[in-house]
Amino acid sequence: MTSIVPKLKELQEAKGVSPKKPQKKDKVGFVFSTKDRVDFTKQTLASLDRQGGYDILWLDGSDQEEARRLPKIYRFKNAKLKEYHLDIKGGPDKTIQLGLRRLLELGYDWCGLIENDILFKKGWFKKLMGLFRLASNDGIAAGAATVRNYESRVLEYRKGYTINWNIGAGMILFTKEAARLLVENYPPHATAFDSYKFYAGNLGLDLSSAKELWFGKPDRALSSDFNYETLLYSNGFAAVGSIPAFVIKELEPGVSPKERGTSYVSRGKRGLVYPAIDL
């Protein structure tokens, strides 16, 4: 096997899913989730707001008064603040589900998630939307895309984009169909071996050498955002990332690519990352 694209197209056909490209009239919205860390929030917003074309749904769970006041007083230059909500409690999964559900209620065609600890490169939004066009040109129905793209999460390098086994909730954009699927079937926590079995059985790939999947523990527990992609692929949608990544750095200590044992995706690679498995 030289590519998983034929298998992706088989899954798409079985589920009746078709590729989707952004249209000029489409509405794009991001759930921007914050909890204190005012300095992180300001830096992230400054990097995001260099480009417009999307709305922000700000969900804040802060305890500090300065952080609680920020959504009320922050002035965007290019992005549009659609709504803000304070006192969002219950953890990240609850916030994610609440935010995506609200974006769908508001009629957004593309629904995303951004956390307040990432610095983006100028042009990130244009690059992100272009990923759906690139995938569609290859006949792939991308349900999710990111510009925060790690080498350790790539299944296959394509021309201008990657096909991923994981993206994460830190920066991801869904089609409205994929977002609705996620809200209605939010994945539970699973284990690394569960994911391994999924990709072996559905895409025919052996992820036994995927360090970020295992971190040396076959029974490693995975948070729900490690299972967004298994839900997407099992319903005919793919997850894609940009080449190169359009992120400058992570602000949260302990989650930089180097500390994960990886790096941001750069140019110059093509083909499958993992070997085909004997089924």
Side-chain angles (χ1 to χ4, degrees):
M1 180 170 63
T2 58
S3 174
I4 57 172
V5 169
K7 288 187 177 292
L8 296 182
K9 291 181 177 179
E10 287 178 14
L11 290 171
Q12 289 173 199
E13 185 175 359
K15 295 296 181 178
V17 173
S18 300
K20 179 179 179 180
K21 293 182 180 181
Q23 305 297 318
K24 285 186 177 180
K25 61 179 178 57
D26 285 353
K27 294 169 57 180
V28 183
F30 289 94
V31 178
F32 183 60
S33 57
T34 57
K35 182 174 173 60
D36 299 316
R37 306 192 306 181
V38 170
D39 183 53
F40 281 13
T41 298
K42 289 180 177 179
Q43 290 184 68
T44 298
L45 287 175
S47 72
L48 290 176
D49 198 28
R50 289 184 291 179
Q51 185 176 2
Y54 59 93
D55 295 349
I56 293 290
L57 175 67
W58 193 333
L59 301 185
D60 182 75
S62 296
D63 298 314
Q64 299 170 3
E65 186 54 37
E66 182 185 8
R68 290 172 57 81
R69 190 169 60 249
L70 190 59
K72 306 175 188 178
I73 65 173
Y74 191 87
R75 295 293 178 261
F76 288 89
K77 296 177 180 178
N78 293 297
K80 177 185 176 183
L81 178 61
K82 181 67 175 179
E83 295 178 353
Y84 73 83
H85 300 271
L86 304 179
D87 299 311
I88 304 299
K89 307 295 184 180
D93 288 330
K94 183 177 179 180
T95 301
I96 288 165
Q97 293 175 75
L98 175 66
L100 289 177
R101 187 175 292 110
R102 183 59 180 152
L103 288 176
L104 291 168
E105 290 171 352
L106 291 169
Y108 284 91
D109 302 286
W110 306 83
C111 306
L113 306 171
I114 296 176
E115 295 177 354
N116 67 329
D117 55 5
I118 306 166
L119 296 186
F120 294 87
K121 293 181 179 179
K122 187 176 181 179
W124 70 272
F125 181 66
K126 181 179 180 181
K127 186 74 170 179
L128 179 66
M129 300 308 293
L131 293 173
F132 292 96
R133 296 186 182 92
L134 288 173
S136 181
N137 290 342
D138 278 351
I140 296 173
T146 190
V147 295
R148 180 193 181 224
N149 201 10
Y150 297 126
E151 288 186 346
S152 56
R153 298 178 175 183
V154 173
L155 290 171
E156 180 176 344
Y157 287 87
R158 305 287 296 172
K159 187 176 180 180
Y161 70 100
T162 62
I163 301 171
N164 289 33
W165 67 267
N166 181 247
I167 287 177
M171 192 287 119
I172 188 169
L173 181 65
F174 301 100
T175 63
K176 66 180 178 183
E177 295 81 7
R180 187 174 296 112
L181 177 69
L182 193 65
V183 167
E184 294 175 354
N185 305 272
Y186 199 76
H189 291 202
T191 68
F193 191 62
D194 292 329
S195 288
Y196 174 83
K197 288 190 295 183
F198 176 85
Y199 288 103
N202 290 274
L203 297 182
L205 291 179
D206 179 1
L207 269 63
S208 59
S209 62
K211 179 182 177 181
E212 195 175 355
L213 175 61
W214 305 100
F215 278 108
K217 299 177 181 179
D219 59 346
R220 178 183 176 233
L222 301 176
S223 58
S224 292
D225 65 334
F226 268 85
N227 291 295
Y228 292 172
E229 290 73 22
T230 56
L231 177 64
L232 293 176
Y233 283 116
S234 62
N235 285 275
F237 296 106
V240 300
S242 66
I243 300 178
F246 257 56
V247 169
I248 299 170
K249 68 175 183 177
E250 316 279 326
L251 297 174
E252 176 68 26
V255 298
S256 71
K258 184 177 181 181
E259 287 161 312
R260 291 175 186 263
T262 182
S263 58
Y264 291 125
V265 167
S266 56
R267 302 182 188 276
K269 295 183 180 180
R270 291 293 294 272
L272 287 172
V273 174
Y274 300 102
I277 196 166
D278 236 349
L279 299 177

